[in-house]
Amino acid sequence: MTHVIGVDLGGTKTAAGVVSPAGVVLMSETIPTLNRGGGEAILDATSALIAGLVERAADAGHTVSGVGVGSAGVIDAVAGTVVSATDAIRSWAGTALVAGLSARLGLGVRAVNDVHAHALGEAWLGAAAGSSSSLMVAFGTGVGGSFVLDGAPVLGHRFVGGHVGHFASPYATFDGVPLACVCGAAGHVEAIASGPAIHESYLRLGGSVLDAADTRGVFALAAPDSSAGEATASTLAAAQAVELGAAAAGQAVGGLINILDPETVVVSGGLADAGDPWWKPMEIALRRELLSPLLSVPVVRATLGNSAAIVGAAKLVLQ
Amino acid sequence: MTHVIGVDLGGTKTAAGVVSPAGVVLMSETIPTLNRGGGEAILDATSALIAGLVERAADAGHTVSGVGVGSAGVIDAVAGTVVSATDAIRSWAGTALVAGLSARLGLGVRAVNDVHAHALGEAWLGAAAGSSSSLMVAFGTGVGGSFVLDGAPVLGHRFVGGHVGHFASPYATFDGVPLACVCGAAGHVEAIASGPAIHESYLRLGGSVLDAADTRGVFALAAPDSSAGEATASTLAAAQAVELGAAAAGQAVGGLINILDPETVVVSGGLADAGDPWWKPMEIALRRELLSPLLSVPVVRATLGNSAAIVGAAKLVLQ
């Protein structure tokens, strides 16, 4: 069998890899995404990245038969176009992603949203390998996810499925007012459980920006070994902000499990990698929500790391 | 083509109908469910009900080729057994539903949960007919739902999928304490948005049980024409309780739309039939949650009424 190229096209960088039929990433390369250059410039740069990998694969004796792309934005997986995208990638919306790459490369191309690709990767070869259904939820700069059923991410009728950061959370409120969400609504899970939201909670709770300039700083203050020192307003606020974000995350994922009943639940993203101070309160809050037939659902950390979306995107053209 | 029998087996009554290949219910009958009699007694009574209909169908010149059942409880659709059920039907859990009916009738039988059957009926021939995916959410004695994708309800790995009443609602709290939910957890959508929950809200908000003994009474007090009289503590509490339940329902469904992106959303159940005093605040709250690509999602009332589960159950054996 021939190999394929998997591409993870994000707001700041684009990674691509040569993927074997078994899902092994043999070689990979990363370039900055030309996020101010517009759709055509991004297609030019991405196809050059892919062409380079096709050549390297050929040198190693592998033929490349197709390209799978997981891209930021809402991706129409049927038309192969970018339906909408945030300002993180200027003029990405409206781009004929599949046709544009296919014309440049002379290869078959398929594309989905990057979170859908990420979930498919974990479902195929990562933390949910072997499960007939899985729910992947990622907590990082944003909160996103995807439900993978029988080997395919449930894309949604308008390809928006999996926006699990955008439903109401009882935690997403301060002084009785729902917190503004990046989507324009208020009181959503993402407004309290994302990485940036944890930093905002920290500041609201009386933490000083001098002690923690960003989310990483908040986690450093909240770490068990830093509590050996004196408790300050900032260390207390940091511990509270992390607990709050983690509890909101767990409560949200627990509710999603009751709704979807996936065989396996995969929690991913930068916050899931932050260790026990986040994971423990997250899992306690999650388990508290579950209906009794769901109490034994496995909730596991993602295992593929940065290659999940590359592997998942590759799977699109390997089936 | 031959006809089939569709059965809607609920906690208080069991309805069955002869269903044509086109989904027309030609004749139907209803019996009380022997909910204190145990599994075998229910199977005896249900198979007698079905056998009677098979005979009536034969008299009308129709052969019956199979039986589809939508039953209360968690139904293992592969094994054909009742995994668990509430006390509403004593000793229903553990019953070999499909094997028991099949042995008694000599016909092929398939079974799913009644809410799954209900959603499949609406997706096939009701309010979501023609949609490739739909989300049905029912607000009544409880809150339940099902996501139907490509003509099949998403049952869940443990057949628990669609428990959309059991995720956190910011509305499901009073004096800062999350309201107890029938599932054993607290703060869930069902604890504020179900029919009984609206009556409980009414009492908590200062309404008198003498003015409204149940949910129906609360709606009567809250009806626009009743506000022609003097506003009393009870009429104010009734209006507030209905608004609260409706807003919680709409917020929940809006969040589910962001998560699942169904082509069509069907709202069903007794509360959806209560008219504008519930529907209007429900829909306003729903629309407030939606991500922009989803703003045009159709949200419609169920159309099949009591026959939805019969038709959906029939579909199980018509495909």
Side-chain angles (χ1 to χ4, degrees):
Chain A
M1 270 173 87
T2 57
H3 290 51
V4 300
I5 306 284
V7 182
D8 178 8
L9 197 161
T12 55
K13 56 189 204 295
T14 299
V18 178
V19 182
S20 79
V24 180
V25 182
L26 301 176
M27 45 192 99
S28 64
E29 272 174 51
T30 300
I31 57 169
T33 300
L34 300 178
N35 54 29
R36 303 292 91 184
E40 294 304 309
I42 294 171
L43 292 180
D44 285 342
T46 306
S47 68
L49 170 71
I50 295 167
L53 282 169
V54 170
E55 223 166 278
R56 282 180 58 192
D59 290 346
H62 304 301
T63 312
V64 167
S65 64
V67 178
V69 182
S71 167
V74 173
I75 307 299
D76 183 330
V78 175
T81 55
V82 182
V83 177
S84 59
T86 66
D87 280 345
I89 313 185
R90 193 182 289 167
S91 303
W92 190 227
T95 303
L97 171 56
V98 163
L101 284 183
S102 190
R104 282 166 175 81
L105 293 162
L107 283 168
V109 179
R110 290 188 65 188
V112 294
N113 166 266
D114 51 355
V115 181
H116 292 145
H118 181 148
L120 179 55
E122 290 289 344
W124 181 32
L125 293 171
S131 291
S132 63
S133 62
S134 60
L135 170 68
M136 189 282 291
V137 185
F139 294 91
T141 310
V143 177
S146 176
F147 179 52
V148 180
L149 188 61
D150 298 329
V154 175
L155 302 176
H157 184 68
R158 299 154 198 84
F159 307 100
V160 180
H163 275 81
V164 299
H166 301 283
F167 68 104
S169 168
Y171 287 102
T173 179
F174 191 73
D175 272 351
V177 180
L179 299 169
C181 184
V182 292
C183 74
H188 284 174
V189 173
E190 183 162 310
I192 188 73
S194 72
I198 288 176
H199 187 244
E200 288 161 22
S201 285
Y202 162 80
L203 297 177
R204 271 194 306 272
L205 292 164
S208 163
V209 73
L210 300 175
D211 294 325
D214 56 15
T215 309
R216 193 175 296 271
V218 176
F219 273 88
L221 279 182
D225 55 339
S226 86
S227 69
E230 216 172 318
T232 65
S234 286
T235 57
L236 291 171
Q240 260 187 289
V242 169
E243 278 244 5
L244 201 56
Q251 183 184 62
V253 176
L256 291 167
I257 295 170
N258 290 341
I259 294 162
L260 296 167
D261 182 11
E263 182 171 356
T264 302
V265 178
V266 180
V267 182
S268 180
L271 300 179
D273 295 336
D276 282 353
W278 185 86
W279 189 276
K280 280 191 174 167
M282 184 283 292
E283 191 163 3
I284 289 168
L286 183 156
R287 298 277 170 201
R288 200 183 289 138
E289 295 298 307
L290 299 181
L291 296 170
S292 55
L294 297 168
L295 289 174
S296 63
V297 63
V299 178
V300 293
R301 262 182 61 185
T303 59
L304 298 185
N306 287 336
S307 68
I310 291 176
V311 169
K315 183 77 174 83
L316 296 174
V317 284
L318 275 170
Q319 38 214 352
Chain B
M1 269 172 87
T2 57
H3 290 51
V4 300
I5 305 284
V7 181
D8 178 7
L9 197 162
T12 56
K13 57 188 205 294
T14 299
V18 178
V19 181
S20 79
V24 180
V25 181
L26 301 175
M27 45 192 101
S28 64
E29 272 174 52
T30 300
I31 58 169
T33 300
L34 299 178
N35 53 29
R36 304 292 92 186
E40 294 304 308
I42 294 171
L43 292 180
D44 285 342
T46 306
S47 68
L49 171 71
I50 295 167
L53 282 168
V54 170
E55 225 167 274
R56 282 180 59 192
D59 290 346
H62 304 302
T63 312
V64 167
S65 64
V67 177
V69 182
S71 167
V74 173
I75 308 299
D76 182 329
V78 175
T81 54
V82 182
V83 177
S84 59
T86 66
D87 281 344
I89 313 186
R90 193 181 289 166
S91 303
W92 191 225
T95 304
L97 171 56
V98 163
L101 285 182
S102 190
R104 282 166 176 81
L105 293 161
L107 283 167
V109 179
R110 289 187 65 188
V112 294
N113 165 267
D114 52 356
V115 181
H116 291 146
H118 181 148
L120 180 55
E122 290 290 343
W124 181 31
L125 294 171
S131 291
S132 62
S133 63
S134 60
L135 170 68
M136 190 282 290
V137 185
F139 294 92
T141 310
V143 177
S146 176
F147 179 52
V148 181
L149 187 61
D150 297 329
V154 176
L155 301 176
H157 184 68
R158 299 155 199 84
F159 307 99
V160 180
H163 275 81
V164 300
H166 301 283
F167 68 102
S169 168
Y171 287 102
T173 179
F174 191 73
D175 273 351
V177 180
L179 300 169
C181 184
V182 292
C183 75
H188 284 173
V189 173
E190 183 161 309
I192 188 73
S194 72
I198 287 176
H199 187 243
E200 287 161 23
S201 285
Y202 162 79
L203 297 176
R204 269 194 305 271
L205 292 164
S208 164
V209 73
L210 300 174
D211 294 325
D214 56 15
T215 311
R216 194 175 296 270
V218 177
F219 273 88
L221 279 182
D225 55 339
S226 86
S227 69
E230 216 172 317
T232 65
S234 286
T235 57
L236 291 171
Q240 259 187 289
V242 170
E243 278 244 3
L244 201 56
Q251 182 184 63
V253 177
L256 290 168
I257 295 170
N258 290 342
I259 294 162
L260 295 168
D261 182 12
E263 181 170 357
T264 302
V265 178
V266 181
V267 182
S268 180
L271 300 179
D273 295 336
D276 282 354
W278 186 85
W279 189 277
K280 279 192 175 167
M282 184 282 292
E283 191 164 3
I284 289 169
L286 183 156
R287 298 277 170 201
R288 201 183 290 139
E289 294 299 308
L290 299 180
L291 296 170
S292 53
L294 296 168
L295 289 173
S296 62
V297 63
V299 178
V300 294
R301 262 181 60 186
T303 59
L304 297 185
N306 287 336
S307 69
I310 291 177
V311 168
K315 184 77 173 83
L316 295 174
V317 284
L318 276 169
Q319 36 217 353

